[in-house]
Amino acid sequence: MVRFAGFVLRHRVVVIVGTIILTGFFAIGLTRLWVNSDFTSYLKPDDPAVKLFNRVGEEYKGNSIVMVGIETDDVFTYPALKLVGNLTEAFKQIGGVSSVISLTDTIDIREVEGTLEVGNLIDKDNLPSTPQELKRLREYVLSKEMYRGRIISEDGRITLMICRLAQDVDKSAVADKIRKTAERIAKGVKIYYSGVPVFSLEAQKIILQDAKRLIPIAIVVVVLVLFFSFRSVRGVILPLIAVVVSVVWAIGLMGWLNVPFSIISNITPVLLIAIGTAYGIHLLSKYYEEESGDGKARTMAALGDVGVPITLAGLTTLIGFLSFIGAYITAITDAGVFTAIGVGVATLMSLTLIPAVLSLLKPKGRRSGGDPSFGRLAGRMTDFILRSGKFVLILALSLSLIAIAGLSRISREVNLMEYFPKNSLVRISEEMMQKRFGGSIPIQIVVKGDMSDPFVLKRMRRMEKFLNSLPYVSNSQSIADLICEMNKVMNGRYTVPETPEGVANLWFFIEGKEILKQFVNEKRTEGIIQAQIGTTETGERIKIVDAVNRYISQLSPRIVVIRVSELKADQMERARDWLYGEMAEEMLLDAAARGVGLKIGRERLKDEIRKSLEAKVKLSGEIIAELRDELRSYFEMESEIVVPDNLIDPLVEEILKVASSGRRGKSDYLALLKGIISP
């Protein structure tokens, strides 16, 4: 290290000038630095889940949404609807917005003069204006689940405009444009903003605010520590210059390499200021201990004595930060690498720049290093440790064991909202979204299969019910919901039709609709189930994802078609057992989604269903009398099978006997008809 010290001091002018030039170069890099607050971009791009997320965004018109809500005394007024329409059209014109859903631009499925009609909920060019029209609209919209709690609050005071963003855009920038547009058009109206792009936009502001606030605080603290340690200008300035240079080099290099500043790497400057100062302090302390020789000689002696310890201290710290390489979150890797570079630069400056400058300065008398009482306290602590070595060792070991035991109590938990002040608009907005609309965090499930197959659609509906049964999950939606909604209008039942033909007839009405691009691919071989999560706590969201994965793992990837008429007795029993299980699961999911806690398991409920459906029913005399009249009327007026008048009463009585005995199979009634009606 003595030879290295001699080399540095022989070329001290070159060291100083070279440092200034390089610092200027890296300072230019600071102007190229940009902030990335998009949390999804922190994930490894080659992760299968990330690849799927990006593919869904590209193929289904984006998977990032910005929710803009406006609150009035009553949304169903002409001025409020006009405002919604104006905002919707303005948002559509913003580059990066792929679609907007709102009251004035959403699909509606209704019956018009006995036929199914699929169109817009509101004619944006002819908004309802009379009290009667507005009242009818309010009653209609609030009566439908596809709107209530999704784009309109249950009390009709808050409505949402849901902006879906394209995949390959700067989502924070687009969110900022949406916000500025809303503030320009909806002046004087209470506005809410939510969605991951909005969180990213606010986080970006916080990153910059934190850097502007924390770096000066760190510098002030370091200056005070250095001043009370050395009581000299050079004792303050030289270590501070070294860490400032390390910050400029490390962060400037990020700018030159186009590596963004993130919510994690924004602590790098503060860390470098706190850590890097120590290396300069070691050198200066040794320098002030030297009592003879000029500045160059004292610097040579000090660097020769503490150069190796400083190098080793910097090297171990640098290696520690490099251990972040390979972290799943790429922002952690970036922060680790550039903090390590900064530590390396701070170490280098302590071994080169500080000695070079010190050697040019006139040496002063030895410094006491601050308050002498601190030295006396340190001496007493040293004496105590040396006298009580065993006690100190046992105490340290005990504390270490307690700390190790506490590791198991650490939980993975991040709540994005905790990053924002309680009175911030983004936090207030998200709390409103969770309370009124089920939250703004999306969850998407990709389903591969024929989107025209009734069984596939029914399974998607089952998955939606399961999602709605989970805590914090609501508003699940897929193409199956549109099919069910149309079937309800056509046939009075909110279910998927039983046959492919029935599904195909309904598909005809929504063919070419823009909303389909959010639910199915062009070939109808894949669909998306979407839902909203009403919490930003990662612990709860991990539980939701784990529950979904467990549910999916239990599903069979095959579709088996059976013909009941061809089943043998044992096969029929297995099919019936499967059917009872399906009925039990449907009932449990429906109950859970509606907040009804059924204290019964699937198997027990399945057994109860079996008992109920297979038990012989004892019909009361009153019911038998009603059935007799209904059956007689049916055979006389409606039956397509012409039954002779003299055989109607005997046939009715035989049917009542079969029904009363509990025998309800097709073969029972077929045998009855053959016995009563001769060919």
Side-chain angles (χ1 to χ4, degrees):
M1 186 54 71
V2 173
R3 294 177 61 185
F4 175 79
F7 176 83
V8 170
L9 297 184
R10 284 196 305 272
H11 302 88
R12 52 191 173 182
V13 175
V14 175
V15 169
I16 295 172
V17 173
T19 300
I20 293 173
I21 293 173
L22 288 174
T23 302
F25 170 77
F26 287 114
I28 296 174
L30 294 176
T31 63
R32 302 167 61 92
L33 190 66
W34 59 285
V35 178
N36 178 20
S37 55
D38 183 359
F39 304 108
T40 59
S41 67
Y42 295 168
L43 307 177
K44 285 189 174 181
D46 58 347
D47 183 278
V50 176
K51 286 183 177 180
L52 178 61
F53 178 81
N54 291 332
R55 182 178 72 80
V56 168
E58 293 169 0
E59 296 183 12
Y60 294 88
K61 301 195 69 174
N63 48 21
S64 294
I65 58 175
V66 173
M67 294 183 174
V68 181
I70 61 170
E71 181 174 1
T72 65
D73 292 335
D74 185 5
V75 170
F76 297 97
T77 62
Y78 181 81
L81 294 176
K82 182 69 174 177
L83 176 60
V84 171
N86 291 339
L87 287 170
T88 300
E89 294 305 311
F91 292 155
K92 287 181 179 179
Q93 303 305 314
I94 297 175
V97 175
S98 59
S99 67
V100 182
I101 294 177
S102 70
L103 282 175
T104 60
D105 198 341
T106 188
I107 192 172
D108 183 42
I109 300 170
R110 67 172 71 193
E111 181 183 358
V112 178
E113 297 180 355
T115 61
L116 174 65
E117 181 180 280
V118 179
N120 291 328
L121 173 63
I122 299 175
D123 183 356
K124 60 185 178 182
D125 297 322
N126 186 25
L127 297 175
S129 56
T130 67
Q132 295 79 10
E133 291 175 334
L134 292 168
K135 181 180 179 181
R136 284 197 300 270
L137 177 64
R138 177 188 177 90
E139 292 174 351
Y140 177 75
V141 171
L142 294 180
S143 69
K144 303 195 72 171
E145 288 189 8
M146 66 184 300
Y147 306 128
R148 189 180 67 251
R150 296 178 187 268
I151 59 174
I152 184 74
S153 61
E154 293 193 3
D155 59 5
R157 297 186 59 190
I158 304 176
T159 186
L160 296 183
M161 285 140 282
I162 304 174
C163 305
R164 189 174 294 271
L165 309 189
Q167 184 67 12
D168 55 346
V169 298
D170 184 342
K171 298 177 180 60
S172 295
V174 176
D176 191 39
K177 292 179 181 178
I178 291 173
R179 184 170 186 167
K180 290 178 179 177
T181 300
E183 291 174 350
R184 174 174 54 84
I185 296 176
K187 292 180 179 179
V189 178
K190 191 170 185 179
I191 309 176
Y192 300 95
Y193 307 92
S194 195
V196 174
V198 176
F199 302 159
S200 299
L201 176 63
E202 292 301 311
Q204 180 174 315
K205 296 177 181 178
I206 289 175
I207 290 171
L208 296 175
Q209 291 171 358
D210 284 349
K212 292 177 181 178
R213 185 180 73 256
L214 295 178
I215 292 176
I217 291 175
I219 290 175
V220 169
V221 171
V222 167
V223 167
L224 291 175
V225 170
L226 292 173
F227 176 76
F228 286 112
S229 297
F230 298 113
R231 304 291 179 91
S232 69
V233 174
R234 70 181 66 177
V236 173
I237 297 299
L238 291 180
L240 190 60
I241 288 176
V243 294
V244 169
V245 169
S246 70
V247 170
V248 172
W249 284 30
I251 306 302
L253 183 60
M254 292 178 68
W256 281 114
L257 297 179
N258 199 34
V259 176
F261 217 40
S262 71
I263 200 168
I264 298 174
S265 59
N266 72 331
I267 64 172
T268 294
V270 177
L271 284 175
L272 292 178
I273 292 171
I275 296 172
T277 308
Y279 310 131
I281 290 176
H282 292 320
L283 181 67
L284 283 169
S285 295
K286 189 62 180 177
Y287 171 85
Y288 282 126
E289 290 178 2
E290 300 296 329
E291 297 182 346
S292 61
D294 58 9
K296 184 176 181 180
R298 293 187 182 190
T299 303
M300 174 78 75
L303 184 57
D305 286 344
V306 299
V308 172
I310 289 175
T311 302
L312 293 177
L315 187 61
T316 53
T317 305
L318 182 151
I319 292 173
F321 281 110
L322 287 179
S323 66
F324 290 165
I325 293 177
Y328 179 79
I329 298 177
T330 56
I332 293 178
T333 296
D334 293 341
V337 168
F338 287 96
T339 302
I341 291 173
V343 169
V345 174
T347 304
L348 181 64
M349 293 300 104
S350 298
L351 297 173
T352 57
L353 180 63
I354 293 179
V357 176
L358 271 179
S359 66
L360 295 174
L361 300 177
K362 182 179 179 180
K364 295 186 178 181
R366 181 179 179 179
R367 299 288 174 170
S368 63
D371 191 344
S373 61
F374 178 79
R376 290 194 296 270
L377 177 61
R380 291 173 183 173
M381 289 181 62
T382 303
D383 292 339
F384 172 77
I385 292 172
L386 293 176
R387 290 196 311 269
S388 310
K390 291 183 178 179
F391 171 77
V392 172
L393 183 61
I394 293 173
L395 179 63
L397 183 60
S398 300
L399 293 176
S400 298
L401 292 175
I402 293 173
I404 292 172
L407 292 176
S408 61
R409 301 173 63 88
I410 296 177
S411 61
R412 297 179 298 167
E413 185 64 60
V414 177
N415 188 339
L416 287 177
M417 289 301 103
E418 297 297 332
Y419 289 117
F420 309 114
K422 290 184 178 180
N423 60 347
S424 64
L425 179 58
V426 65
R427 191 162 179 174
I428 293 172
S429 296
E430 179 59 22
E431 290 172 354
M432 184 280 294
M433 293 291 178
Q434 292 178 8
K435 181 179 179 181
R436 301 294 190 95
F437 298 97
S440 63
I441 306 295
I443 180 172
Q444 297 169 316
I445 298 173
V446 178
V447 179
K448 292 184 178 295
D450 184 358
M451 294 296 111
S452 300
D453 189 297
F455 184 83
V456 174
L457 295 172
K458 286 177 180 289
R459 281 295 171 179
M460 293 176 73
R461 280 287 298 151
R462 174 77 64 83
M463 174 61 77
E464 290 181 50
K465 291 180 179 180
F466 172 75
L467 288 174
N468 288 336
S469 72
L470 298 175
Y472 302 108
V473 181
S474 62
N475 292 339
S476 62
Q477 193 175 26
S478 71
I479 185 62
D481 288 278
L482 297 182
I483 297 295
C484 289
E485 189 71 29
M486 290 187 290
N487 194 42
K488 180 181 179 181
V489 173
M490 289 284 287
N491 304 308
R493 298 186 63 192
Y494 193 86
T495 59
V496 175
E498 296 294 331
T499 65
E501 293 77 16
V503 173
N505 290 337
L506 297 177
W507 260 103
F508 171 78
F509 290 94
I510 55 174
E511 198 73 53
K513 296 294 183 182
E514 189 69 18
I515 196 171
L516 289 182
K517 296 178 181 179
Q518 301 176 21
F519 289 134
V520 297
N521 63 5
E522 292 183 0
K523 296 181 179 179
R524 299 186 191 173
T525 57
E526 182 180 274
I528 299 292
I529 299 174
Q530 306 174 7
Q532 291 166 230
I533 299 179
T535 178
T536 53
E537 296 181 6
T538 54
E540 295 298 332
R541 288 157 64 185
I542 289 173
K543 291 179 183 178
I544 292 170
V545 173
D546 289 343
V548 171
N549 286 333
R550 285 195 301 270
Y551 182 84
I552 293 175
S553 67
Q554 297 171 2
L555 300 177
S556 173
R558 297 185 304 137
I559 297 178
V560 179
V561 179
I562 61 174
R563 293 179 176 84
V564 176
S565 60
E566 299 177 3
L567 295 181
K568 298 179 181 179
D570 60 328
Q571 294 173 328
M572 177 64 78
E573 179 58 30
R574 290 202 302 271
R576 190 180 290 114
D577 183 75
W578 173 83
L579 181 60
Y580 293 155
E582 292 289 290
M583 294 171 65
E585 187 170 345
E586 288 278 358
M587 293 174 66
L588 290 172
L589 290 176
D590 282 335
R594 288 166 173 76
V596 180
L598 293 181
K599 297 181 179 180
I600 184 172
R602 181 180 184 274
E603 292 303 314
R604 183 182 169 189
L605 181 58
K606 183 175 76 172
D607 291 340
E608 294 298 326
I609 293 173
R610 181 194 300 275
K611 292 177 184 178
S612 175
L613 294 179
E614 295 183 359
K616 293 184 178 180
V617 180
K618 181 67 175 178
L619 300 179
S620 66
E622 182 179 353
I623 293 177
I624 289 176
E626 291 179 2
L627 281 175
R628 181 179 288 110
D629 293 339
E630 292 290 336
L631 287 170
R632 185 180 291 113
S633 175
Y634 170 76
F635 285 119
E636 289 176 350
M637 307 293 295
E638 301 178 39
S639 175
E640 294 184 9
I641 300 175
V642 179
V643 180
D645 292 342
N646 63 322
L647 295 180
I648 289 178
D649 284 341
L651 177 58
V652 168
E653 295 303 322
E654 289 299 322
I655 290 175
L656 291 174
K657 288 180 182 180
V658 172
S660 299
S661 68
R663 293 180 288 119
R664 299 179 299 278
K666 177 180 178 181
S667 59
D668 295 317
Y669 291 102
L670 184 60
L672 184 150
L673 290 172
K674 287 181 178 179
I676 295 294
I677 305 174
S678 57

